[in-house]
Amino acid sequence: QKEVEQDPGPLSVPEGAIVSLNCTYSNSAFQYFMWYRQYSRKGPELLMYTYSSGNKEDGRFTAQVDKSSKYISLFIRDSQPSDSATYLCAIISGNTGKLIFGQGTTLQVKP
Amino acid sequence: DAGVIQSPRHEVTEMGQEVTLRCKPISGHNSLFWYRQTMMRGLELLIYFNNNVPIDDSGMPEDRFSAKMPNASFSTLKIQPSEPRDSAVYFCASTPQGSGNTIYFGEGSWLTVV
């Protein structure tokens, strides 16, 4: 079993839709949770970062962590074509400090 | 800020040849990471350095892979001999903190081994 599981998609939605991206993880020692966005032929860039259960909002983006279920989500409201990218969840192990990525979900927002 | 700088951006080489990928981390960052990305396996951590010292190289796939960080501003990832299955995008990343919670990626080195 992979330490971090993420459905690779692809996911295609119309402009303006609410997008839900999800990951599950296996190790309860994981402490820090992040979402990265990667545009085609570019390196990943940090989108959001949290370390506690609950919601964190930043503009149209909301990151949600449920440590009891080992489940993390990213919601995108009013999705735009410019949101088309691959979204990777990433988790840091509190024990090792290693950053472990999910497979990434490819999102396409159609105008 | 120039960001993490990687070279070459693209490399096509023949099987059996030596490949050297280079990385200049962001000035002041004391942790450096090498990742490999493929469609099948996603982003995999190969090795990371803290203050120029390799901390965890458990992700290095084989002895054909080696990485060095001779000083705080330069690192190399070498593959010798290269094989077609090494074809991937290799990312270098750096962070100012050892935990890696704010990690900055370069634009990647796209390697094709034929």
Side-chain angles (χ1 to χ4, degrees):
Chain A
Q1 182 189 7
K2 288 185 179 179
E3 291 182 282
V4 182
E5 299 271 5
Q6 184 178 9
D7 185 342
L11 182 62
S12 181
V13 302
E15 184 176 353
I18 296 174
V19 176
S20 173
L21 304 167
N22 308 294
C23 286
T24 59
Y25 62 95
S26 58
N27 190 337
S28 58
F30 291 153
Q31 292 185 336
Y32 302 96
F33 308 91
M34 285 150 282
W35 285 94
Y36 280 78
R37 179 174 60 196
Q38 185 177 21
Y39 289 114
S40 179
R41 306 189 74 79
K42 296 288 187 181
E45 55 179 349
L46 182 64
L47 194 59
M48 295 192 72
Y49 158 59
T50 184
Y51 60 88
S52 59
S53 283
N55 295 349
K56 182 176 182 180
E57 195 171 310
D58 183 2
R60 297 184 294 110
F61 297 88
T62 300
Q64 188 176 79
V65 176
D66 183 346
K67 287 189 176 181
S68 62
S69 303
K70 300 190 184 70
Y71 196 83
I72 64 173
S73 301
L74 178 71
F75 299 98
I76 307 174
R77 290 186 300 280
D78 188 26
S79 56
Q80 302 294 309
S82 58
D83 296 329
S84 299
T86 297
Y87 291 81
L88 302 110
C89 60
I91 299 173
I92 292 181
S93 167
N95 295 333
T96 67
K98 287 173 66 170
L99 183 61
I100 302 167
F101 284 88
Q103 185 83 357
T105 300
T106 300
L107 170 68
Q108 184 181 26
V109 181
K110 295 183 175 180
Chain B
D1 192 338
V4 177
I5 299 173
Q6 292 186 245
S7 65
R9 288 297 315 279
H10 300 273
E11 173 102 3
V12 180
T13 190
E14 290 186 345
M15 182 175 63
Q17 296 297 305
E18 178 179 292
V19 173
T20 299
L21 308 177
R22 299 172 178 81
C23 176
K24 177 178 167 51
I26 294 173
S27 178
H29 286 193
N30 63 349
S31 293
L32 182 141
F33 306 78
W34 282 101
Y35 283 87
R36 177 173 67 177
Q37 187 175 38
T38 60
M39 289 290 290
M40 291 297 295
R41 301 172 68 90
L43 260 175
E44 302 174 282
L45 177 64
L46 300 178
I47 185 171
Y48 80 93
F49 296 83
N50 199 31
N51 293 320
N52 313 338
V53 176
I55 302 300
D56 185 345
D57 64 355
S58 60
M60 296 285 263
E62 300 170 34
D63 291 344
R64 297 185 297 105
F65 285 70
S66 62
K68 294 182 179 178
M69 191 165 186
N71 57 62
S73 59
F74 183 67
S75 177
T76 59
L77 177 68
K78 187 174 291 187
I79 309 172
Q80 166 64 18
S82 58
E83 296 182 4
R85 60 195 168 116
D86 301 331
S87 298
V89 185
Y90 291 82
F91 286 103
C92 177
S94 70
T95 180
Q97 298 175 4
S99 63
N101 58 318
T102 310
I103 191 169
Y104 299 86
F105 283 80
E107 301 221 312
S109 291
W110 299 71
L111 174 65
T112 302
V113 182
V114 298

